[in-house]
Amino acid sequence: MDSIIFDLDGTLWDPRETVLASWNKALKNRGMDVELTTEDLTKTMGLQLHEIAQVLFPDLNEQEQIKLMKECSAVEIPYVADNGGELYPHLEQTLKALSQKYRLFIVSNCQEGYIEAFYHYHKLDHYFSDFENPGRTGLSKGENINLVIKRNQLESPIYVGDTQGDRNAARHAGIPFIFAKYGFGNVDDSDDVIEGLDDLVKKFG
């Protein structure tokens, strides 16, 4: 093993309250009489933006869904950069320990600017060598994992995530999948399980 690729939401942090506040602000700006809840947002974790729109706003046509998600993102990115999210316990200690032995990466199903907002607020970017998302590439998570592997010439990476989509992406990329059990989702199977981020240090540190 030479590297660890992480999912972001539900794996490194819980951004739901911040994202929820920003999206509800965008909906209010649009004049929509809708207020999303934490439960609404949890149902969409791990999905790409167009899939989130289908779940949250099924009554809108595809064009309106895309337009609305762009408006939400325009509010969300600076809001996340200014307010951050809830980091999971032992995150920085874990990243510091692991980065001394492995190269670290993030591949998330988010829009362009979101990972940068996470970096900006929490000042953790120096632990990571690279990142990728469909907002930049238009690719699936599995394809983005492969892109990061190829771009950084990784030989034996693992992927850490918390949803079935993460598991499927790791399988697509042909690399081991570590299930973050504390996150938002469930999976059919995994190569290993962690109950908390510090378990990574115990297993691989």
Side-chain angles (χ1 to χ4, degrees):
M1 189 172 107
D2 65 346
S3 51
I4 304 173
I5 307 173
F6 291 94
D7 171 51
L8 182 50
D9 294 351
T11 300
L12 300 182
W13 73 341
D14 180 351
R16 287 176 297 178
E17 292 308 311
T18 304
V19 172
L20 189 65
S22 67
W23 285 17
N24 279 329
K25 182 179 179 181
L27 295 177
K28 186 176 180 180
N29 291 345
R30 203 180 211 246
M32 294 180 67
D33 188 22
V34 177
E35 185 164 344
L36 299 174
T37 66
T38 303
E39 184 180 352
D40 292 328
L41 208 57
T42 303
K43 290 186 298 187
T44 69
M45 287 296 164
L47 301 179
Q48 291 196 23
L49 280 181
H50 70 279
E51 297 170 322
I52 292 173
Q54 291 166 8
V55 173
L56 296 181
F57 310 107
D59 295 334
L60 299 179
N61 62 44
E62 184 178 358
Q63 186 177 1
E64 282 296 310
Q65 287 176 344
I66 292 171
K67 183 179 178 182
L68 178 55
M69 294 314 299
K70 286 182 178 178
E71 291 173 9
C72 286
S73 293
V75 176
E76 176 188 1
I77 296 301
Y79 196 87
V80 170
D82 287 343
N83 295 276
E86 181 184 348
L87 300 181
Y88 284 127
H90 314 295
L91 174 58
E92 184 158 14
Q93 301 96 304
T94 297
L95 295 176
K96 184 176 181 179
L98 293 174
S99 65
Q100 294 174 10
K101 191 172 181 180
Y102 308 103
R103 297 175 70 194
L104 307 182
F105 303 86
I106 295 176
V107 173
S108 171
N109 261 349
C110 60
Q111 65 272 49
E112 187 172 10
Y114 184 78
I115 296 173
E116 295 93 322
F118 164 76
Y119 285 164
H120 176 80
Y121 186 85
H122 293 289
K123 312 300 181 190
L124 297 172
D125 51 300
H126 58 285
Y127 293 113
F128 297 95
S129 299
D130 195 6
F131 67 89
E132 202 50 89
N133 58 72
R136 291 205 306 191
T137 67
L139 301 175
S140 70
K141 180 170 279 188
E143 291 169 326
N144 279 326
I145 291 173
N146 275 331
L147 186 63
V148 165
I149 291 172
K150 183 177 180 180
R151 189 161 68 207
N152 294 278
Q153 301 179 324
L154 308 182
E155 295 185 359
S156 55
I158 63 172
Y159 189 77
V160 182
D162 68 306
T163 67
Q164 183 67 26
D166 293 333
R167 177 264 184 204
N168 294 345
R171 293 287 183 261
H172 174 90
I175 64 174
F177 172 67
I178 311 301
F179 175 46
K181 192 175 181 181
Y182 53 85
F184 299 136
N186 292 295
V187 298
D188 292 339
D189 57 38
S190 64
D191 296 290
D192 209 336
V193 178
I194 56 171
E195 301 282 348
L197 280 164
D198 53 343
D199 280 354
L200 289 171
V201 179
K202 296 172 187 174
K203 292 176 182 290
F204 306 114

